[in-house]
Amino acid sequence: DLPEKIVALDGAQRLLRETHDSAVQAGKLAVLGQMADGLTQELSQPLTDLTTLSDNTVPQVKRGELDEVSKNVFLISKLAARMGNIVSSIKAFSRKDNVGREPVNVSNSIHQALMLVEPRRKQVDAKVQLVRTSSEALAWGNAIRLEQVLVNLLRNGLDAAADQPGSVLSVAVQVQEKHVHIVVRDQGPGIADAVRQHIFEPFFTTKPTGQGIGLGLAISLAIIEEMGGQLQIDNAPDRGTEATIILEHV
């Protein structure tokens, strides 16, 4: 009868939401796994610097070289803050998040995502160009999940131009009436026609084995649509690929 069908429908919808949330969480952990080596190196270097500075500071204190001690303490503080920011970003990115929509500072999400992909940027020797990324642009969505999508798009852009040292990855934010457009553009080879129709399909990937499982864009599309937005991926007007996130402006 009708009440039983309603209960069954509610159960199916709940299971679908739980499955979707689990896929999103698994996607985040997979991305962190792929970035683990780079993030470890990003923490190892300042840790080495901290050890060197602290070792040097003890004899400087004994010699009364207070100016040098002051400089070392200042550098130690900056390095500790940098490491803290990296760890905080990783923890925030990996945690399970509430899925409700709220006003999101787009610029903050972009900078958090850039911090997470920084090791890969260094590895491929690329440059990042921020275009019109107003710190005031607010969009309806979920900050951590938007960050997850941005990490996926930025990593794709860096991977696409990995064999072109010095290539530029640009990120632009445009507020157009009722919507905020976030555009990530790389200088890679672009998307072949045979690939274009499959890019959002789960497990479809053009990356070498071990460098991706083909879920990044599928999960990204689901996240953006859940926020009431759109995700579009096209060839850029000149060369490369242009990924555009469209969210409702607050």
Side-chain angles (χ1 to χ4, degrees):
D1 59 2
L2 184 59
E4 289 179 349
K5 289 181 179 179
I6 292 174
V7 170
L9 180 59
D10 287 343
Q13 289 175 333
R14 184 172 63 255
L15 179 60
L16 186 60
R17 282 195 302 270
E18 290 172 354
T19 303
H20 175 263
D21 290 345
S22 295
V24 169
Q25 186 67 15
K28 287 196 285 189
L29 297 179
V31 167
L32 283 176
Q34 291 164 10
M35 297 191 300
D37 286 345
L39 289 169
T40 299
Q41 292 173 10
E42 195 75 1
L43 288 169
S44 295
Q45 186 56 53
L47 185 59
T48 300
D49 293 341
L50 278 174
T51 303
T52 302
L53 286 168
S54 59
D55 287 347
N56 291 342
T57 300
V58 174
Q60 288 169 344
V61 169
K62 291 180 179 178
R63 293 193 297 266
E65 298 171 353
L66 297 185
D67 285 344
E68 292 302 314
V69 170
S70 178
K71 290 177 185 177
N72 282 0
V73 171
F74 175 75
L75 290 173
I76 287 171
S77 176
K78 291 204 63 163
L79 286 167
R82 176 183 161 196
M83 293 174 70
N85 287 337
I86 294 170
V87 171
S88 295
S89 295
I90 295 170
K91 286 175 65 178
F93 185 80
S94 62
R95 74 168 185 255
K96 288 189 175 180
D97 49 321
N98 297 322
V99 297
R101 291 204 314 165
E102 60 185 9
V104 173
N105 185 304
V106 172
S107 179
N108 285 351
S109 290
I110 290 172
H111 282 89
Q112 287 292 99
L114 286 172
M115 183 179 295
L116 287 169
V117 302
E118 176 63 9
R120 181 59 175 160
R121 185 200 67 78
K122 290 179 179 176
Q123 190 177 38
V124 302
D125 190 24
K127 299 176 182 176
V128 173
Q129 182 180 45
L130 299 178
V131 186
R132 298 187 298 278
T133 50
S134 168
S135 60
E136 303 303 319
L138 297 177
W140 285 108
N142 177 284
I144 298 299
R145 293 201 171 183
L146 175 58
E147 184 182 324
Q148 179 179 358
V149 174
L150 287 167
V151 165
N152 276 320
L153 298 182
L154 291 167
R155 277 179 55 82
N156 285 347
L158 292 170
D159 291 345
D163 59 347
Q164 304 171 38
S167 68
V168 177
L169 183 68
S170 70
V171 185
V173 176
Q174 304 158 0
V175 179
Q176 300 181 8
E177 296 182 358
K178 297 181 179 180
H179 295 93
V180 177
H181 293 232
I182 308 168
V183 184
V184 178
R185 180 185 296 185
D186 65 53
Q187 294 183 331
I191 310 169
D193 290 339
V195 171
R196 186 193 303 271
Q197 58 186 325
H198 300 291
I199 55 175
F200 290 117
E201 291 179 8
F203 304 109
F204 176 82
T205 180
T206 58
K207 295 181 180 180
T209 302
Q211 293 188 19
I213 58 174
L215 282 176
L217 288 178
I219 291 174
S220 294
L221 177 64
I223 289 172
I224 295 303
E225 288 183 342
E226 184 182 42
M227 294 182 191
Q230 301 174 50
L231 176 59
Q232 302 170 353
I233 298 183
D234 298 292
N235 285 317
D238 40 12
R239 68 176 175 129
T241 303
E242 189 173 85
T244 305
I245 300 168
I246 304 174
L247 296 173
E248 186 180 348
H249 183 36
V250 175

